[in-house]
Amino acid sequence: MLQYPAIDPVAFSLGPLTVHWYGIMYLLGFAAAWLLAMHRAAKPWSPVTRAQVEDLIMWSAFGVVLGGRLGYVFFYQFERFLEDPLWLFRIWEGGMAFHGGMLGVILAIFLYSLKINVRFLRLMDFVAPLVPLGLGFGRIGNFIGQELWGRQTDVSWAMVFPKDPEQLARHPSQLYQATLEGLALFLILLWYSRKPRAAGTVGALFLIFYGSFRFLVEFFREPDSHIGFDLMGWMTRGQLLSTPMILAGLVLFVVFWWRESRAAKQEIPTKKPVQAEATE
C-alpha cells in the first residue's frame, strides 16, 4: 500500500484570501488551453486567429463554470436544490460536474461561432484538444483535495485518504482519471487533429474516448454516497451520463466522415473519354 502524500489543500493564504490547489489547477488548465490554442491558431487551417483566442477561452471558461455548476445541481443534487433553490448560487460550497460543463462549453462555442461567423463544427474541432489537459489538472486537484476517491481494494498501490471516515485502502481513482481523461485523451486528439480532418470528427472523437475512459474508471471510483448505483445494481451516475456520449460520438464520427468522403468524391472531375482521331 502506498502512503498518501498529505498535501494541504490550501496552497497559500494572503490575509483573508485563501487560495486552494483546486483553484490553481483550474488556472493551470486554462493557461495550458490558451498556450495550445495560440499555437494551433497559427496553423493555416485554424478557424480562429490568435487575436480571437482570448475571447474563445473566456467564452469557454464561462461555459465550464456555469454548465458545471448547473450540471452538478441537476444531475447529482436535484433534491437538495428543491429543498433550497438558493443553494444553486452558493458555488463557494463546492460542486461541479463534467457533463454539465461540457454542455456549457458546447453552448458557449455555438454562440461564439455565430458571433465571429465561423462554422460551429470547425470551432468545436479546434477546442476539443484544448480540453483534456484542463481535465487532467482538475483530477489532480481532486486528488490533493481528497475528494472523489476510489473503491476499496487490496492492490499494492492502494491509498488510505486521511479524510476518509472509514479509513479504507482505496483506488487513487483521481489519478486514473488524470491519466486517461487528461494525458491519454490529449495525446489521441492532438495526434488526430495534427492535420485537417472531416469537420466534426475531432469533437466526435472526444465524445467517444472521454465517455469510454470515464465509463471504465467508474468501476474503480466510489459512487456518490447519496446516489449509489443507478441501474442494474452496478451502473453509476457517471456511467449513465457517459453512455449517450459514447453512442453519439460513434454515430457523429461515422456521419461526419462519410459526408466529407462523399463530398470529396463529388469534387473529383470525371475524365471524358479521349476519342481516337480517324486515320486516312
Side-chain angles (χ1 to χ4, degrees), residues 150-187:
R151 303 183 192 184
Q152 184 179 6
T153 182
D154 58 358
V155 297
S156 59
W157 58 89
M159 293 182 179
V160 176
F161 292 90
K163 289 185 178 180
D164 179 11
E166 298 180 84
Q167 289 297 285
L168 300 175
R170 299 180 179 274
H171 283 286
S173 57
Q174 312 98 321
L175 301 182
Y176 301 171
Q177 290 187 264
T179 302
L180 292 176
E181 301 168 10
L183 181 60
L185 183 57
F186 170 70
L187 293 176

PDB file of all heavy atoms in Angstrom, residues 150-187:
ATOM      1  N   GLY A 150     -11.453   6.436  -4.793  1.00  0.00           N
ATOM      2  CA  GLY A 150     -11.873   5.178  -5.379  1.00  0.00           C
ATOM      3  C   GLY A 150     -12.505   4.208  -4.399  1.00  0.00           C
ATOM      4  O   GLY A 150     -12.659   4.485  -3.210  1.00  0.00           O
ATOM      5  N   ARG A 151     -12.841   3.045  -4.935  1.00  0.00           N
ATOM      6  CA  ARG A 151     -13.448   1.992  -4.125  1.00  0.00           C
ATOM      7  C   ARG A 151     -12.368   1.241  -3.345  1.00  0.00           C
ATOM      8  O   ARG A 151     -11.182   1.316  -3.641  1.00  0.00           O
ATOM      9  CB  ARG A 151     -14.206   1.009  -5.026  1.00  0.00           C
ATOM     10  CG  ARG A 151     -15.270   1.665  -5.888  1.00  0.00           C
ATOM     11  CD  ARG A 151     -16.041   0.639  -6.697  1.00  0.00           C
ATOM     12  NE  ARG A 151     -16.856   1.291  -7.732  1.00  0.00           N
ATOM     13  CZ  ARG A 151     -17.687   0.657  -8.538  1.00  0.00           C
ATOM     14  NH1 ARG A 151     -17.813  -0.677  -8.445  1.00  0.00           N
ATOM     15  NH2 ARG A 151     -18.384   1.308  -9.448  1.00  0.00           N
ATOM     16  N   GLN A 152     -12.810   0.498  -2.362  1.00  0.00           N
ATOM     17  CA  GLN A 152     -11.886  -0.281  -1.538  1.00  0.00           C
ATOM     18  C   GLN A 152     -11.198  -1.334  -2.398  1.00  0.00           C
ATOM     19  O   GLN A 152     -11.802  -1.941  -3.283  1.00  0.00           O
ATOM     20  CB  GLN A 152     -12.643  -0.959  -0.401  1.00  0.00           C
ATOM     21  CG  GLN A 152     -11.742  -1.727   0.565  1.00  0.00           C
ATOM     22  CD  GLN A 152     -12.518  -2.370   1.694  1.00  0.00           C
ATOM     23  OE1 GLN A 152     -13.757  -2.345   1.696  1.00  0.00           O
ATOM     24  NE2 GLN A 152     -11.832  -2.953   2.662  1.00  0.00           N
ATOM     25  N   THR A 153      -9.908  -1.543  -2.134  1.00  0.00           N
ATOM     26  CA  THR A 153      -9.142  -2.507  -2.921  1.00  0.00           C
ATOM     27  C   THR A 153      -7.949  -3.008  -2.117  1.00  0.00           C
ATOM     28  O   THR A 153      -7.579  -2.419  -1.095  1.00  0.00           O
ATOM     29  CB  THR A 153      -8.647  -1.863  -4.235  1.00  0.00           C
ATOM     30  OG1 THR A 153      -7.954  -2.831  -5.000  1.00  0.00           O
ATOM     31  CG2 THR A 153      -7.715  -0.692  -3.954  1.00  0.00           C
ATOM     32  N   ASP A 154      -7.344  -4.102  -2.606  1.00  0.00           N
ATOM     33  CA  ASP A 154      -6.129  -4.618  -1.964  1.00  0.00           C
ATOM     34  C   ASP A 154      -4.932  -4.558  -2.913  1.00  0.00           C
ATOM     35  O   ASP A 154      -3.914  -5.219  -2.685  1.00  0.00           O
ATOM     36  CB  ASP A 154      -6.343  -6.054  -1.483  1.00  0.00           C
ATOM     37  CG  ASP A 154      -6.740  -6.998  -2.617  1.00  0.00           C
ATOM     38  OD1 ASP A 154      -6.881  -6.532  -3.766  1.00  0.00           O
ATOM     39  OD2 ASP A 154      -6.910  -8.214  -2.355  1.00  0.00           O
ATOM     40  N   VAL A 155      -5.019  -3.753  -3.976  1.00  0.00           N
ATOM     41  CA  VAL A 155      -3.878  -3.623  -4.884  1.00  0.00           C
ATOM     42  C   VAL A 155      -2.725  -2.948  -4.159  1.00  0.00           C
ATOM     43  O   VAL A 155      -2.922  -2.215  -3.173  1.00  0.00           O
ATOM     44  CB  VAL A 155      -4.259  -2.825  -6.151  1.00  0.00           C
ATOM     45  CG1 VAL A 155      -5.325  -3.557  -6.954  1.00  0.00           C
ATOM     46  CG2 VAL A 155      -4.730  -1.420  -5.800  1.00  0.00           C
ATOM     47  N   SER A 156      -1.514  -3.169  -4.650  1.00  0.00           N
ATOM     48  CA  SER A 156      -0.329  -2.681  -3.940  1.00  0.00           C
ATOM     49  C   SER A 156      -0.211  -1.165  -3.939  1.00  0.00           C
ATOM     50  O   SER A 156       0.526  -0.607  -3.124  1.00  0.00           O
ATOM     51  CB  SER A 156       0.934  -3.302  -4.571  1.00  0.00           C
ATOM     52  OG  SER A 156       1.021  -2.965  -5.945  1.00  0.00           O
ATOM     53  N   TRP A 157      -0.893  -0.496  -4.852  1.00  0.00           N
ATOM     54  CA  TRP A 157      -0.812   0.974  -4.912  1.00  0.00           C
ATOM     55  C   TRP A 157      -2.032   1.651  -4.257  1.00  0.00           C
ATOM     56  O   TRP A 157      -2.273   2.828  -4.452  1.00  0.00           O
ATOM     57  CB  TRP A 157      -0.659   1.454  -6.355  1.00  0.00           C
ATOM     58  CG  TRP A 157      -1.764   1.013  -7.277  1.00  0.00           C
ATOM     59  CD1 TRP A 157      -2.935   1.661  -7.524  1.00  0.00           C
ATOM     60  CD2 TRP A 157      -1.801  -0.186  -8.063  1.00  0.00           C
ATOM     61  NE1 TRP A 157      -3.705   0.955  -8.406  1.00  0.00           N
ATOM     62  CE2 TRP A 157      -3.025  -0.183  -8.763  1.00  0.00           C
ATOM     63  CE3 TRP A 157      -0.911  -1.261  -8.244  1.00  0.00           C
ATOM     64  CZ2 TRP A 157      -3.384  -1.223  -9.618  1.00  0.00           C
ATOM     65  CZ3 TRP A 157      -1.266  -2.283  -9.103  1.00  0.00           C
ATOM     66  CH2 TRP A 157      -2.491  -2.256  -9.787  1.00  0.00           C
ATOM     67  N   ALA A 158      -2.797   0.896  -3.498  1.00  0.00           N
ATOM     68  CA  ALA A 158      -3.956   1.465  -2.798  1.00  0.00           C
ATOM     69  C   ALA A 158      -3.492   2.514  -1.786  1.00  0.00           C
ATOM     70  O   ALA A 158      -2.346   2.483  -1.314  1.00  0.00           O
ATOM     71  CB  ALA A 158      -4.730   0.367  -2.099  1.00  0.00           C
ATOM     72  N   MET A 159      -4.387   3.430  -1.464  1.00  0.00           N
ATOM     73  CA  MET A 159      -4.069   4.501  -0.517  1.00  0.00           C
ATOM     74  C   MET A 159      -5.188   4.674   0.493  1.00  0.00           C
ATOM     75  O   MET A 159      -6.358   4.447   0.175  1.00  0.00           O
ATOM     76  CB  MET A 159      -3.874   5.839  -1.253  1.00  0.00           C
ATOM     77  CG  MET A 159      -2.674   5.903  -2.152  1.00  0.00           C
ATOM     78  SD  MET A 159      -2.523   7.552  -2.928  1.00  0.00           S
ATOM     79  CE  MET A 159      -1.025   7.296  -3.888  1.00  0.00           C
ATOM     80  N   VAL A 160      -4.822   5.092   1.690  1.00  0.00           N
ATOM     81  CA  VAL A 160      -5.801   5.472   2.708  1.00  0.00           C
ATOM     82  C   VAL A 160      -5.817   6.999   2.739  1.00  0.00           C
ATOM     83  O   VAL A 160      -4.802   7.628   3.057  1.00  0.00           O
ATOM     84  CB  VAL A 160      -5.435   4.919   4.097  1.00  0.00           C
ATOM     85  CG1 VAL A 160      -6.432   5.423   5.137  1.00  0.00           C
ATOM     86  CG2 VAL A 160      -5.414   3.403   4.079  1.00  0.00           C
ATOM     87  N   PHE A 161      -6.939   7.577   2.405  1.00  0.00           N
ATOM     88  CA  PHE A 161      -7.057   9.031   2.394  1.00  0.00           C
ATOM     89  C   PHE A 161      -7.366   9.521   3.813  1.00  0.00           C
ATOM     90  O   PHE A 161      -8.327   9.037   4.435  1.00  0.00           O
ATOM     91  CB  PHE A 161      -8.146   9.470   1.427  1.00  0.00           C
ATOM     92  CG  PHE A 161      -7.806   9.219  -0.021  1.00  0.00           C
ATOM     93  CD1 PHE A 161      -8.140   8.013  -0.628  1.00  0.00           C
ATOM     94  CD2 PHE A 161      -7.139  10.175  -0.772  1.00  0.00           C
ATOM     95  CE1 PHE A 161      -7.817   7.771  -1.951  1.00  0.00           C
ATOM     96  CE2 PHE A 161      -6.807   9.940  -2.092  1.00  0.00           C
ATOM     97  CZ  PHE A 161      -7.142   8.734  -2.681  1.00  0.00           C
ATOM     98  N   PRO A 162      -6.576  10.452   4.333  1.00  0.00           N
ATOM     99  CA  PRO A 162      -6.785  10.917   5.720  1.00  0.00           C
ATOM    100  C   PRO A 162      -8.201  11.401   5.995  1.00  0.00           C
ATOM    101  O   PRO A 162      -8.693  11.258   7.107  1.00  0.00           O
ATOM    102  CB  PRO A 162      -5.761  12.051   5.856  1.00  0.00           C
ATOM    103  CG  PRO A 162      -4.684  11.695   4.892  1.00  0.00           C
ATOM    104  CD  PRO A 162      -5.380  11.059   3.728  1.00  0.00           C
ATOM    105  N   LYS A 163      -8.879  11.976   5.007  1.00  0.00           N
ATOM    106  CA  LYS A 163     -10.229  12.494   5.215  1.00  0.00           C
ATOM    107  C   LYS A 163     -11.303  11.409   5.136  1.00  0.00           C
ATOM    108  O   LYS A 163     -12.473  11.690   5.396  1.00  0.00           O
ATOM    109  CB  LYS A 163     -10.542  13.584   4.191  1.00  0.00           C
ATOM    110  CG  LYS A 163      -9.788  14.892   4.419  1.00  0.00           C
ATOM    111  CD  LYS A 163     -10.256  15.957   3.435  1.00  0.00           C
ATOM    112  CE  LYS A 163      -9.552  17.275   3.670  1.00  0.00           C
ATOM    113  NZ  LYS A 163     -10.017  18.322   2.710  1.00  0.00           N
ATOM    114  N   ASP A 164     -10.922  10.211   4.741  1.00  0.00           N
ATOM    115  CA  ASP A 164     -11.893   9.127   4.611  1.00  0.00           C
ATOM    116  C   ASP A 164     -12.336   8.677   5.996  1.00  0.00           C
ATOM    117  O   ASP A 164     -11.518   8.164   6.776  1.00  0.00           O
ATOM    118  CB  ASP A 164     -11.255   7.962   3.854  1.00  0.00           C
ATOM    119  CG  ASP A 164     -12.191   6.771   3.699  1.00  0.00           C
ATOM    120  OD1 ASP A 164     -13.400   6.921   3.989  1.00  0.00           O
ATOM    121  OD2 ASP A 164     -11.714   5.703   3.291  1.00  0.00           O
ATOM    122  N   PRO A 165     -13.607   8.840   6.357  1.00  0.00           N
ATOM    123  CA  PRO A 165     -14.048   8.445   7.698  1.00  0.00           C
ATOM    124  C   PRO A 165     -13.930   6.950   7.952  1.00  0.00           C
ATOM    125  O   PRO A 165     -13.805   6.525   9.107  1.00  0.00           O
ATOM    126  CB  PRO A 165     -15.514   8.907   7.734  1.00  0.00           C
ATOM    127  CG  PRO A 165     -15.926   9.007   6.307  1.00  0.00           C
ATOM    128  CD  PRO A 165     -14.701   9.398   5.557  1.00  0.00           C
ATOM    129  N   GLU A 166     -13.953   6.144   6.888  1.00  0.00           N
ATOM    130  CA  GLU A 166     -13.858   4.697   7.058  1.00  0.00           C
ATOM    131  C   GLU A 166     -12.417   4.214   7.066  1.00  0.00           C
ATOM    132  O   GLU A 166     -12.158   3.058   7.419  1.00  0.00           O
ATOM    133  CB  GLU A 166     -14.630   3.988   5.944  1.00  0.00           C
ATOM    134  CG  GLU A 166     -16.114   4.305   5.928  1.00  0.00           C
ATOM    135  CD  GLU A 166     -16.833   3.578   4.816  1.00  0.00           C
ATOM    136  OE1 GLU A 166     -17.207   2.401   5.019  1.00  0.00           O
ATOM    137  OE2 GLU A 166     -17.015   4.178   3.738  1.00  0.00           O
ATOM    138  N   GLN A 167     -11.484   5.066   6.647  1.00  0.00           N
ATOM    139  CA  GLN A 167     -10.057   4.748   6.629  1.00  0.00           C
ATOM    140  C   GLN A 167      -9.778   3.415   5.926  1.00  0.00           C
ATOM    141  O   GLN A 167      -9.077   2.534   6.435  1.00  0.00           O
ATOM    142  CB  GLN A 167      -9.489   4.729   8.044  1.00  0.00           C
ATOM    143  CG  GLN A 167      -9.380   6.095   8.690  1.00  0.00           C
ATOM    144  CD  GLN A 167      -8.411   7.006   7.933  1.00  0.00           C
ATOM    145  OE1 GLN A 167      -7.185   6.840   8.022  1.00  0.00           O
ATOM    146  NE2 GLN A 167      -8.944   7.964   7.188  1.00  0.00           N
ATOM    147  N   LEU A 168     -10.312   3.293   4.713  1.00  0.00           N
ATOM    148  CA  LEU A 168     -10.138   2.091   3.907  1.00  0.00           C
ATOM    149  C   LEU A 168      -9.051   2.320   2.858  1.00  0.00           C
ATOM    150  O   LEU A 168      -8.838   3.443   2.402  1.00  0.00           O
ATOM    151  CB  LEU A 168     -11.445   1.727   3.195  1.00  0.00           C
ATOM    152  CG  LEU A 168     -12.652   1.440   4.094  1.00  0.00           C
ATOM    153  CD1 LEU A 168     -13.899   1.223   3.240  1.00  0.00           C
ATOM    154  CD2 LEU A 168     -12.379   0.219   4.965  1.00  0.00           C
ATOM    155  N   ALA A 169      -8.379   1.244   2.494  1.00  0.00           N
ATOM    156  CA  ALA A 169      -7.414   1.309   1.396  1.00  0.00           C
ATOM    157  C   ALA A 169      -8.205   1.366   0.090  1.00  0.00           C
ATOM    158  O   ALA A 169      -8.998   0.472  -0.206  1.00  0.00           O
ATOM    159  CB  ALA A 169      -6.504   0.090   1.423  1.00  0.00           C
ATOM    160  N   ARG A 170      -7.986   2.423  -0.677  1.00  0.00           N
ATOM    161  CA  ARG A 170      -8.814   2.662  -1.862  1.00  0.00           C
ATOM    162  C   ARG A 170      -7.966   2.875  -3.113  1.00  0.00           C
ATOM    163  O   ARG A 170      -6.789   3.221  -3.033  1.00  0.00           O
ATOM    164  CB  ARG A 170      -9.688   3.905  -1.641  1.00  0.00           C
ATOM    165  CG  ARG A 170     -10.665   3.803  -0.478  1.00  0.00           C
ATOM    166  CD  ARG A 170     -11.480   5.074  -0.359  1.00  0.00           C
ATOM    167  NE  ARG A 170     -12.440   5.023   0.725  1.00  0.00           N
ATOM    168  CZ  ARG A 170     -13.664   4.516   0.641  1.00  0.00           C
ATOM    169  NH1 ARG A 170     -14.075   4.001  -0.516  1.00  0.00           N
ATOM    170  NH2 ARG A 170     -14.483   4.511   1.682  1.00  0.00           N
ATOM    171  N   HIS A 171      -8.622   2.700  -4.274  1.00  0.00           N
ATOM    172  CA  HIS A 171      -8.005   3.061  -5.548  1.00  0.00           C
ATOM    173  C   HIS A 171      -7.807   4.580  -5.603  1.00  0.00           C
ATOM    174  O   HIS A 171      -8.741   5.333  -5.280  1.00  0.00           O
ATOM    175  CB  HIS A 171      -8.912   2.666  -6.717  1.00  0.00           C
ATOM    176  CG  HIS A 171      -8.901   1.211  -7.047  1.00  0.00           C
ATOM    177  ND1 HIS A 171      -7.851   0.589  -7.683  1.00  0.00           N
ATOM    178  CD2 HIS A 171      -9.840   0.243  -6.844  1.00  0.00           C
ATOM    179  CE1 HIS A 171      -8.131  -0.680  -7.858  1.00  0.00           C
ATOM    180  NE2 HIS A 171      -9.326  -0.931  -7.368  1.00  0.00           N
ATOM    181  N   PRO A 172      -6.640   5.058  -6.005  1.00  0.00           N
ATOM    182  CA  PRO A 172      -6.483   6.505  -6.256  1.00  0.00           C
ATOM    183  C   PRO A 172      -7.093   6.845  -7.621  1.00  0.00           C
ATOM    184  O   PRO A 172      -6.399   7.189  -8.586  1.00  0.00           O
ATOM    185  CB  PRO A 172      -4.965   6.700  -6.237  1.00  0.00           C
ATOM    186  CG  PRO A 172      -4.420   5.380  -6.696  1.00  0.00           C
ATOM    187  CD  PRO A 172      -5.371   4.333  -6.189  1.00  0.00           C
ATOM    188  N   SER A 173      -8.407   6.726  -7.708  1.00  0.00           N
ATOM    189  CA  SER A 173      -9.101   6.829  -8.999  1.00  0.00           C
ATOM    190  C   SER A 173      -8.951   8.218  -9.627  1.00  0.00           C
ATOM    191  O   SER A 173      -9.078   8.364 -10.839  1.00  0.00           O
ATOM    192  CB  SER A 173     -10.586   6.492  -8.832  1.00  0.00           C
ATOM    193  OG  SER A 173     -11.200   7.325  -7.876  1.00  0.00           O
ATOM    194  N   GLN A 174      -8.680   9.227  -8.811  1.00  0.00           N
ATOM    195  CA  GLN A 174      -8.454  10.567  -9.379  1.00  0.00           C
ATOM    196  C   GLN A 174      -7.249  10.549 -10.311  1.00  0.00           C
ATOM    197  O   GLN A 174      -7.244  11.214 -11.350  1.00  0.00           O
ATOM    198  CB  GLN A 174      -8.233  11.596  -8.276  1.00  0.00           C
ATOM    199  CG  GLN A 174      -9.249  11.561  -7.146  1.00  0.00           C
ATOM    200  CD  GLN A 174      -8.726  10.780  -5.951  1.00  0.00           C
ATOM    201  OE1 GLN A 174      -8.070   9.755  -6.111  1.00  0.00           O
ATOM    202  NE2 GLN A 174      -9.015  11.264  -4.758  1.00  0.00           N
ATOM    203  N   LEU A 175      -6.215   9.771  -9.940  1.00  0.00           N
ATOM    204  CA  LEU A 175      -5.021   9.685 -10.771  1.00  0.00           C
ATOM    205  C   LEU A 175      -5.283   8.852 -12.021  1.00  0.00           C
ATOM    206  O   LEU A 175      -4.696   9.107 -13.082  1.00  0.00           O
ATOM    207  CB  LEU A 175      -3.849   9.091  -9.970  1.00  0.00           C
ATOM    208  CG  LEU A 175      -3.449   9.888  -8.710  1.00  0.00           C
ATOM    209  CD1 LEU A 175      -2.249   9.245  -8.035  1.00  0.00           C
ATOM    210  CD2 LEU A 175      -3.141  11.341  -9.067  1.00  0.00           C
ATOM    211  N   TYR A 176      -6.148   7.847 -11.908  1.00  0.00           N
ATOM    212  CA  TYR A 176      -6.539   7.091 -13.107  1.00  0.00           C
ATOM    213  C   TYR A 176      -7.208   8.038 -14.114  1.00  0.00           C
ATOM    214  O   TYR A 176      -6.931   7.988 -15.316  1.00  0.00           O
ATOM    215  CB  TYR A 176      -7.538   5.986 -12.761  1.00  0.00           C
ATOM    216  CG  TYR A 176      -7.092   4.949 -11.760  1.00  0.00           C
ATOM    217  CD1 TYR A 176      -7.994   4.027 -11.250  1.00  0.00           C
ATOM    218  CD2 TYR A 176      -5.775   4.869 -11.313  1.00  0.00           C
ATOM    219  CE1 TYR A 176      -7.613   3.058 -10.338  1.00  0.00           C
ATOM    220  CE2 TYR A 176      -5.382   3.917 -10.390  1.00  0.00           C
ATOM    221  CZ  TYR A 176      -6.315   3.011  -9.900  1.00  0.00           C
ATOM    222  OH  TYR A 176      -5.931   2.062  -8.988  1.00  0.00           O
ATOM    223  N   GLN A 177      -8.096   8.880 -13.591  1.00  0.00           N
ATOM    224  CA  GLN A 177      -8.812   9.807 -14.468  1.00  0.00           C
ATOM    225  C   GLN A 177      -7.869  10.859 -15.045  1.00  0.00           C
ATOM    226  O   GLN A 177      -8.002  11.243 -16.212  1.00  0.00           O
ATOM    227  CB  GLN A 177      -9.959  10.473 -13.713  1.00  0.00           C
ATOM    228  CG  GLN A 177     -11.090   9.516 -13.392  1.00  0.00           C
ATOM    229  CD  GLN A 177     -12.289  10.222 -12.785  1.00  0.00           C
ATOM    230  OE1 GLN A 177     -12.450  10.266 -11.578  1.00  0.00           O
ATOM    231  NE2 GLN A 177     -13.157  10.766 -13.636  1.00  0.00           N
ATOM    232  N   ALA A 178      -6.927  11.330 -14.241  1.00  0.00           N
ATOM    233  CA  ALA A 178      -5.962  12.316 -14.744  1.00  0.00           C
ATOM    234  C   ALA A 178      -5.143  11.724 -15.889  1.00  0.00           C
ATOM    235  O   ALA A 178      -4.847  12.413 -16.877  1.00  0.00           O
ATOM    236  CB  ALA A 178      -5.041  12.768 -13.613  1.00  0.00           C
ATOM    237  N   THR A 179      -4.806  10.434 -15.777  1.00  0.00           N
ATOM    238  CA  THR A 179      -4.000   9.789 -16.806  1.00  0.00           C
ATOM    239  C   THR A 179      -4.804   9.526 -18.078  1.00  0.00           C
ATOM    240  O   THR A 179      -4.332   9.796 -19.190  1.00  0.00           O
ATOM    241  CB  THR A 179      -3.437   8.454 -16.279  1.00  0.00           C
ATOM    242  OG1 THR A 179      -2.652   8.704 -15.105  1.00  0.00           O
ATOM    243  CG2 THR A 179      -2.558   7.790 -17.320  1.00  0.00           C
ATOM    244  N   LEU A 180      -6.035   9.010 -17.921  1.00  0.00           N
ATOM    245  CA  LEU A 180      -6.842   8.653 -19.089  1.00  0.00           C
ATOM    246  C   LEU A 180      -7.558   9.855 -19.684  1.00  0.00           C
ATOM    247  O   LEU A 180      -7.404  10.169 -20.872  1.00  0.00           O
ATOM    248  CB  LEU A 180      -7.858   7.573 -18.701  1.00  0.00           C
ATOM    249  CG  LEU A 180      -7.274   6.202 -18.365  1.00  0.00           C
ATOM    250  CD1 LEU A 180      -8.377   5.260 -17.893  1.00  0.00           C
ATOM    251  CD2 LEU A 180      -6.542   5.605 -19.553  1.00  0.00           C
ATOM    252  N   GLU A 181      -8.365  10.546 -18.868  1.00  0.00           N
ATOM    253  CA  GLU A 181      -9.143  11.687 -19.368  1.00  0.00           C
ATOM    254  C   GLU A 181      -8.250  12.883 -19.682  1.00  0.00           C
ATOM    255  O   GLU A 181      -8.631  13.742 -20.477  1.00  0.00           O
ATOM    256  CB  GLU A 181     -10.194  12.103 -18.341  1.00  0.00           C
ATOM    257  CG  GLU A 181     -11.180  11.006 -17.976  1.00  0.00           C
ATOM    258  CD  GLU A 181     -12.012  11.370 -16.768  1.00  0.00           C
ATOM    259  OE1 GLU A 181     -11.952  12.544 -16.331  1.00  0.00           O
ATOM    260  OE2 GLU A 181     -12.715  10.494 -16.246  1.00  0.00           O
ATOM    261  N   GLY A 182      -7.100  12.938 -19.023  1.00  0.00           N
ATOM    262  CA  GLY A 182      -6.193  14.054 -19.247  1.00  0.00           C
ATOM    263  C   GLY A 182      -5.145  13.737 -20.284  1.00  0.00           C
ATOM    264  O   GLY A 182      -5.252  14.113 -21.451  1.00  0.00           O
ATOM    265  N   LEU A 183      -4.116  12.988 -19.884  1.00  0.00           N
ATOM    266  CA  LEU A 183      -2.960  12.763 -20.753  1.00  0.00           C
ATOM    267  C   LEU A 183      -3.299  11.927 -21.985  1.00  0.00           C
ATOM    268  O   LEU A 183      -2.983  12.316 -23.119  1.00  0.00           O
ATOM    269  CB  LEU A 183      -1.841  12.093 -19.950  1.00  0.00           C
ATOM    270  CG  LEU A 183      -0.550  11.821 -20.722  1.00  0.00           C
ATOM    271  CD1 LEU A 183       0.043  13.126 -21.251  1.00  0.00           C
ATOM    272  CD2 LEU A 183       0.447  11.085 -19.832  1.00  0.00           C
ATOM    273  N   ALA A 184      -3.916  10.750 -21.795  1.00  0.00           N
ATOM    274  CA  ALA A 184      -4.190   9.860 -22.928  1.00  0.00           C
ATOM    275  C   ALA A 184      -5.129  10.517 -23.942  1.00  0.00           C
ATOM    276  O   ALA A 184      -4.883  10.477 -25.153  1.00  0.00           O
ATOM    277  CB  ALA A 184      -4.779   8.538 -22.429  1.00  0.00           C
ATOM    278  N   LEU A 185      -6.197  11.130 -23.450  1.00  0.00           N
ATOM    279  CA  LEU A 185      -7.154  11.780 -24.355  1.00  0.00           C
ATOM    280  C   LEU A 185      -6.498  12.934 -25.094  1.00  0.00           C
ATOM    281  O   LEU A 185      -6.740  13.147 -26.295  1.00  0.00           O
ATOM    282  CB  LEU A 185      -8.359  12.269 -23.556  1.00  0.00           C
ATOM    283  CG  LEU A 185      -9.495  12.920 -24.353  1.00  0.00           C
ATOM    284  CD1 LEU A 185     -10.034  11.970 -25.418  1.00  0.00           C
ATOM    285  CD2 LEU A 185     -10.610  13.372 -23.419  1.00  0.00           C
ATOM    286  N   PHE A 186      -5.645  13.673 -24.420  1.00  0.00           N
ATOM    287  CA  PHE A 186      -4.926  14.783 -25.055  1.00  0.00           C
ATOM    288  C   PHE A 186      -4.050  14.278 -26.203  1.00  0.00           C
ATOM    289  O   PHE A 186      -4.057  14.846 -27.300  1.00  0.00           O
ATOM    290  CB  PHE A 186      -4.072  15.506 -24.017  1.00  0.00           C
ATOM    291  CG  PHE A 186      -3.117  16.495 -24.602  1.00  0.00           C
ATOM    292  CD1 PHE A 186      -3.569  17.679 -25.177  1.00  0.00           C
ATOM    293  CD2 PHE A 186      -1.744  16.240 -24.603  1.00  0.00           C
ATOM    294  CE1 PHE A 186      -2.685  18.591 -25.733  1.00  0.00           C
ATOM    295  CE2 PHE A 186      -0.858  17.148 -25.152  1.00  0.00           C
ATOM    296  CZ  PHE A 186      -1.325  18.324 -25.715  1.00  0.00           C
ATOM    297  N   LEU A 187      -3.295  13.213 -25.956  1.00  0.00           N
ATOM    298  CA  LEU A 187      -2.401  12.690 -26.986  1.00  0.00           C
ATOM    299  C   LEU A 187      -3.180  12.155 -28.184  1.00  0.00           C
ATOM    300  O   LEU A 187      -2.773  12.346 -29.341  1.00  0.00           O
ATOM    301  CB  LEU A 187      -1.510  11.587 -26.397  1.00  0.00           C
ATOM    302  CG  LEU A 187      -0.493  12.046 -25.343  1.00  0.00           C
ATOM    303  CD1 LEU A 187       0.249  10.856 -24.768  1.00  0.00           C
ATOM    304  CD2 LEU A 187       0.477  13.061 -25.932  1.00  0.00           C
TER     305      LEU A 187
END
